């Protein structure tokens, strides 16, 4: 009995440690002072300041645009990449491609950022929206592939054979059999790519020129200047946004799984 | 028909060539050029001869080691006990949730917490310990880096605990092993794969957390990542920056070898 208690104390302690800084930020977003020492009085002023800050709104929109575009592109390229790896029967080639796929997953952000910076300069591409978008697509592709491959491996080859025997064309096999089967993997990949893009700071910091900024870069430059409670308000909003994203993702996932289970039961009955 | 299929894979193949192979090749290539664009080996000579770069590398490795160790000490018990709770998937989700919050915001929170009259100093004040300089010290860098990395260590350890067959634990108990013996002889060895995955996931990024050394470490802790960022974006000496980058890539390769090989071996013996 006593043992159980100690374990729970530890776990509660860890949870408090993990969440205290986040709630500390959110708590002070409602303070009327100008720093995070001592709560003055309750106010919405920091949020109001945020909503009239045109520059900030523009940066938020840019960040979202980059995230949506890059995750869409990465999902398309990654899906076909995963299909390609799946169809490669040659084992050594397949392992080599997988190893290459994972290089960007394990590389530190600075290396990715620095090498992309050299790459874009080498090509003579200007830095800005284009270079940031390309970089985000590039570092999101491997995670999409990794989310989809297990789904492909779990699919029975007989399904594809059956479709072929029944006279389906390549395109029909892909669109009516394979893609629906791996849709949950594609969706997971898209979601991961989206959050990767939103979260990224280091790579963007390297390849963004002077004209273009994402939210992370903006937070970094403001945080270096010191504390401004507007950032606290922003972090509260971002916390709620990620809560909604995660909750939405899990609900959709759950629904998909429930649907699948129902279908299975029907098929069994 | 096969030709048409190639067309689908073309973007992915292009991606591998352009964004995986080319950048690595370019960073190696760039490391042989000095600031004026002359081909030279001087960058490597400077790196190995001037003590500062070697010292910085050792310092960076040391901090990455400390961060990984502290994270592991916190994460293993958490993953272990989390695994025994009732709604473990829900708790796990709550552990992962903070990783979805932008890293910069978490670092920013600590600027407030650690500041001269922030929460921690306020707390210390109750014990009569006057305001301490916490922000911009090595200590603050360690705390914040550990804070950020903890979920990434808990997750793989938790997963390896999930894979562990509970009947092995029961068998060990039935055969008379104490709790401690069961843990050290059965559970720990069988979850090493998770620990190694966690080490891999933390050690490598810890070498390159330049934004934390800037925001929290106050430029006192210089990591490999900070040096690269400085050479690329401040002093514009890309050659030297690339040289350090190559060192970082080599370090990464070594760590992957050290933590990866045994996992592969284990898989073979298990099957």
């Amino acid at each position: 009995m006593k043992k159980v208690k100690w374990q729970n104390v530890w776990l509660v302690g860890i949870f408090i440690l993990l969440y205290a800084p986040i709630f500390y930020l959110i708590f002070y977003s409602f303070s009327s002072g100008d720093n995070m020492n001592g709560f003055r009085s309750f106010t919405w002023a920091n949020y109001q300041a945020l909503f009239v800050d045109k520059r900030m709104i523009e940066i938020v929109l840019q960040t979202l645009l980059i995230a949506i575009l890059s995750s869409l592109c990465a999902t398309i390229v990654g899906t076909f990449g995963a299909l390609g790896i799946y169809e490669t029967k040659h084992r050594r080639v397949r392992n080599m491609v997988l190893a290459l796929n994972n290089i960007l997953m394990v590389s530190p952000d600075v290396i990715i950022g620095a090498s992309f910076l050299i790459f874009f300069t080498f090509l003579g591409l200007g830095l800005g929206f284009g270079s940031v978008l390309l970089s985000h697509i590039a570092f999101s592709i491997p995670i999409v592939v990794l989310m989809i491959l297990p789904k492909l491996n779990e699919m029975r080859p007989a399904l594809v054979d059956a479709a072929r025997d029944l006279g389906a064309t390549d395109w029909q096999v892909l669109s009516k059999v394979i893609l629906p089967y791996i849709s949950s993997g594609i969706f997971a990949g898209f979601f991961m790519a989206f959050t990767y893009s939103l979260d990224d700071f280091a790579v963007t910091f390297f390849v963004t020129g002077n004209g273009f900024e994402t939210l992370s870069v903006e937070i970094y430059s403001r945080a270096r200047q010191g504390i401004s409670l507007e950032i606290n308000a922003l972090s509260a909003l971002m916390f709620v946004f990620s809560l909604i994203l995660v909750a939405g993702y899990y609900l959709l996932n759950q629904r998909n799984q429930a649907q699948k289970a129902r279908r299975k039961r029907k098929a069994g009955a | 028909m096969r030709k048409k299929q190639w067309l689908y894979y073309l973007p992915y193949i292009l991606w591998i060539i352009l964004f995986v192979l080319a950048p690595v090749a370019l960073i190696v290539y760039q490391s042989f050029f000095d600031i004026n664009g002359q081909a030279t080996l001087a960058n490597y000579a400077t790196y190995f001869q001037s003590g500062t770069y070697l010292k910085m590398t050792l310092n960076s490795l040391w901090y990455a080691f400390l961060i990984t160790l502290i994270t592991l000490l916190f994460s293993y018990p958490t993953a272990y006990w989390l695994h025994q709770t009732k709604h473990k998937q829900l708790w796990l989700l709550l552990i992962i949730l903070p990783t979805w919050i932008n890293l910069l915001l978490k670092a920013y929170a600590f600027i407030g917490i650690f500041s001269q009259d922030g929460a921690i100093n306020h707390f210390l004040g109750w014990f009569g310990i006057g305001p301490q300089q916490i922000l911009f010290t090595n200590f603050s860098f360690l705390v914040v880096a550990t804070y950020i990395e903890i979920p990434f260590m808990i997750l793989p350890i938790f997963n390896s605990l999930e894979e562990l067959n509970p009947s092995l634990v029961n068998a060990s108990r039935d055969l008379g092993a104490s709790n401690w013996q069961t843990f050290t002889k059965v559970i720990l060895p069988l979850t090493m794969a998770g620990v190694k995955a966690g080490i891999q996931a933390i050690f490598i990024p810890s070498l390159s957390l330049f934004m934390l050394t800037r925001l929290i470490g106050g430029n006192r802790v210089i990591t490999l990542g900070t040096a690269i960022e400085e050479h690329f974006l401040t002093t514009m000496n890309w050659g030297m920056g690339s040289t350090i980058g190559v060192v970082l890539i080599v370090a990464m390769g070594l760590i992957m070898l050290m933590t990866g090989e045994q996992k592969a071996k284990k898989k073979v013996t298990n099957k």
Side-chain angles (χ1 to χ4, degrees):
Chain A
M1 199 64 219
K2 214 171 190 180
K3 224 183 206 167
V4 174
K5 264 186 188 163
W6 276 115
Q7 292 168 4
N8 290 342
V9 168
W10 173 273
L11 287 180
V12 169
I14 290 284
F15 275 107
I16 291 175
L17 279 180
L18 276 180
Y19 281 92
I22 297 163
F23 286 117
Y24 186 83
L25 270 188
I26 296 176
F27 176 67
Y28 276 104
S29 72
F30 298 107
S31 166
S32 61
D34 52 3
N35 56 32
M36 286 193 261
N37 320 316
F39 194 86
R40 295 282 160 73
S41 58
F42 181 87
T43 174
W44 287 103
N46 299 314
Y47 290 88
Q48 279 158 355
L50 194 64
F51 283 120
V52 294
D53 190 340
K54 275 216 180 93
R55 188 182 140 78
M56 193 54 117
I57 291 171
E58 195 185 321
I59 289 173
V60 169
L61 290 179
Q62 280 171 352
T63 310
L64 284 175
L65 184 67
I66 288 270
I68 291 168
L69 283 179
S70 71
S71 48
L72 270 177
C73 294
T75 309
I76 293 167
V77 178
T79 306
F80 283 112
L83 283 170
I85 294 175
Y86 175 71
E87 306 245 301
T88 308
K89 298 297 175 227
H90 204 293
R91 216 184 149 153
R92 278 181 64 186
V93 176
R94 188 185 162 133
N95 283 343
M96 199 189 75
V97 175
L98 263 179
L100 287 174
N101 182 67
N102 291 355
I103 285 184
L104 286 189
M105 293 290 303
V106 292
S107 298
D109 294 347
V110 255
I111 295 288
I112 301 177
S115 61
F116 282 7
L117 175 61
I118 302 177
F119 177 67
F120 289 131
T121 323
F122 189 78
L123 288 184
L125 244 77
L127 299 178
F129 180 81
S131 60
V132 173
L133 180 63
L134 278 175
S135 310
H136 281 221
I137 295 172
F139 70 64
S140 305
I141 286 175
I143 186 67
V144 175
V145 172
L146 289 185
M147 293 311 227
I148 294 175
L149 262 185
K151 289 279 157 209
L152 279 171
N153 289 330
E154 142 191 317
M155 185 173 70
R156 275 177 302 161
L159 274 176
V160 177
D161 294 341
R164 285 245 162 79
D165 288 349
L166 293 169
T169 62
D170 273 2
W171 174 248
Q172 282 173 325
V173 170
L174 184 69
S175 61
K176 304 264 166 167
V177 180
I178 300 180
L179 287 183
Y181 193 89
I182 61 172
S183 60
S184 65
I186 296 176
F187 181 61
F190 174 78
F191 179 77
M192 291 304 285
F194 188 75
T195 56
Y196 267 37
S197 169
L198 278 187
D199 267 355
D200 178 70
F201 164 69
V203 178
T204 314
F205 191 60
F206 272 87
V207 298
T208 183
N210 287 325
F212 188 75
E213 272 189 88
T214 65
L215 207 47
S216 302
V217 176
E218 175 72 9
I219 295 170
Y220 178 74
S221 55
R222 288 206 188 186
R224 287 199 78 175
Q225 287 159 16
I227 283 161
S228 120
L229 292 184
E230 217 180 297
I231 302 187
N232 291 52
L234 180 67
S235 62
L237 292 179
M238 283 173 77
F239 181 68
V240 174
F241 182 66
S242 28
L243 270 184
I244 293 171
L245 261 187
V246 174
Y249 175 72
Y250 270 82
L251 282 179
L252 272 173
N253 230 2
Q254 217 104 44
R255 216 188 57 183
N256 274 350
Q257 261 163 10
Q259 255 171 13
K260 226 180 228 174
R262 213 179 303 145
R263 230 177 287 152
K264 243 181 213 163
R265 230 178 293 137
K266 253 187 204 162
Chain B
M1 198 110 283
R2 287 223 73 77
K3 250 185 203 156
K4 217 170 146 197
Q5 270 186 349
W6 267 99
L7 223 65
Y8 292 135
Y9 312 143
L10 193 67
Y12 184 70
I13 295 165
L14 272 178
W15 168 75
I16 287 188
I17 295 169
L18 289 179
F19 287 97
V20 180
L21 296 175
V24 176
L26 277 172
I27 210 170
V28 175
Y29 175 77
Q30 185 80 44
S31 70
F32 292 108
F33 286 89
D34 67 8
I35 197 162
N36 303 316
Q38 299 285 319
T40 172
L41 280 172
N43 293 325
Y44 286 94
T46 323
Y47 178 83
F48 286 107
Q49 276 164 4
S50 91
T52 39
Y53 283 108
L54 286 179
K55 223 171 105 190
M56 179 269 295
T57 308
L58 280 180
N59 190 46
S60 182
L61 286 171
W62 170 242
Y63 273 99
F65 169 76
L66 281 181
I67 293 167
T68 313
L69 184 74
I70 301 171
T71 314
L72 182 61
L73 289 179
F74 275 102
S75 302
Y76 202 98
T78 310
Y80 185 72
W81 287 325
L82 202 66
H83 180 69
Q84 295 175 341
T85 53
K86 249 187 196 164
H87 304 284
K88 54 186 173 189
Q89 290 302 340
L90 178 71
W91 294 121
L92 186 70
L93 181 65
L94 283 176
I95 291 270
I96 304 171
L97 189 63
T99 64
W100 263 302
I101 290 163
N102 200 303
L103 184 142
L104 272 309
L105 288 179
K106 287 185 272 191
Y108 173 74
F110 280 98
I111 297 179
I113 294 170
F114 282 158
S115 68
Q116 203 59 243
D117 359 64
I120 296 288
N121 271 322
H122 202 74
F123 181 72
L124 288 177
W126 291 345
F127 300 100
I129 308 168
Q132 300 277 327
Q133 175 70 34
I134 307 175
L135 197 63
F136 306 137
T137 62
N138 303 348
F139 170 77
S140 62
F141 171 66
L142 273 181
V143 171
V144 178
T146 310
Y147 169 77
I148 285 167
E149 304 289 5
I150 274 184
F152 297 106
M153 183 68 103
I154 294 180
L155 191 62
I157 297 178
F158 183 88
N159 286 338
S160 66
L161 282 164
E162 284 278 281
E163 281 170 21
L164 179 75
N165 190 341
S167 54
L168 289 174
V169 178
N170 292 336
S172 147
R173 292 243 166 81
D174 288 349
L175 293 168
S178 67
N179 276 343
W180 179 247
Q181 279 173 323
T182 308
F183 180 72
T184 55
K185 304 270 175 186
V186 180
I187 299 174
L188 194 59
L190 286 175
T191 50
M192 268 326 261
V195 173
K196 278 180 179 160
I199 291 175
Q200 219 179 64
I202 289 172
F203 196 92
I204 298 169
S206 299
L207 291 171
S208 64
L209 286 170
F210 73 87
M211 46 297 203
L212 287 193
T213 62
R214 292 256 188 265
L215 291 175
I216 305 286
N219 288 343
R220 280 176 203 220
V221 194
I222 306 285
T223 61
L224 287 169
T226 321
I228 294 173
E229 187 254 1
E230 188 153 318
H231 281 303
F232 268 93
L233 300 176
T234 314
T235 63
M236 300 303 260
N237 185 352
W238 287 15
M240 197 64 222
S242 301
T243 306
I244 304 168
V246 171
V247 172
L248 184 50
I249 293 175
V250 171
M252 181 181 97
L254 286 177
I255 293 153
M256 303 282 292
L257 273 181
M258 269 161 30
T259 52
E261 203 177 33
Q262 268 152 324
K263 210 164 81 187
K265 235 187 260 163
K266 207 175 254 165
K267 251 184 203 156
V268 175
T269 48
N270 272 358
K271 283 234 163 121

